[in-house]
Amino acid sequence: MTDPTRAAIVRALADLWAKGCPVPAPEHQDRLADVSLRRWHSVARRHRGRRLSADQRIQDLVRGLVAAFEPDRALVGPLVRDYECVARAIADVMTSTDPPGSVADAH
């Protein structure tokens, strides 16, 4: 969880907010970054023995974000598309900053 990576995630979230995505409101960007980093780095523990594709990792991140930010996951509805957009932006940052051969690269 390096500071430059976290800063890059916050910048990506701010860009999404500026483009009209409702999920990464400025007051949530720091927490979104923190939750995302924890979720991204704990994937191996939560999915023991499974190698997740990039899309599966993004969906895993979506599930974690929805669980952390929505009081009733059943009521998220179409907003899940915005969470997917957020997760994809975060995954882009993470895959551009993970060193080759890292745990994130292997899962």
Side-chain angles (χ1 to χ4, degrees), residues 15-98:
D15 288 345
L16 285 176
W17 175 253
K19 292 175 184 171
C21 182
V23 172
E27 64 270 19
H28 298 301
Q29 291 172 5
D30 286 329
R31 185 165 172 242
L32 279 163
D34 293 339
V35 168
S36 297
L37 283 164
R38 275 193 314 273
R39 184 82 179 187
W40 189 266
H41 290 295
S42 67
V43 71
R45 179 180 46 81
R46 287 179 292 98
H47 296 279
R48 289 184 194 267
R50 289 189 53 215
R51 186 181 189 103
L52 301 183
S53 69
D55 285 339
Q56 288 170 322
R57 286 208 68 183
I58 289 167
Q59 289 307 311
D60 179 72
L61 188 51
V62 169
R63 283 190 298 279
L65 293 173
V66 168
F69 287 88
E70 297 297 328
D72 188 346
R73 289 178 255 182
L75 300 178
V76 173
L79 188 61
V80 75
R81 297 290 173 227
D82 294 305
Y83 276 103
E84 288 170 356
C85 185
V86 166
R88 198 165 296 282
I90 292 167
D92 287 346
V93 170
M94 294 306 294
T95 56
S96 70
T97 60
D98 282 334

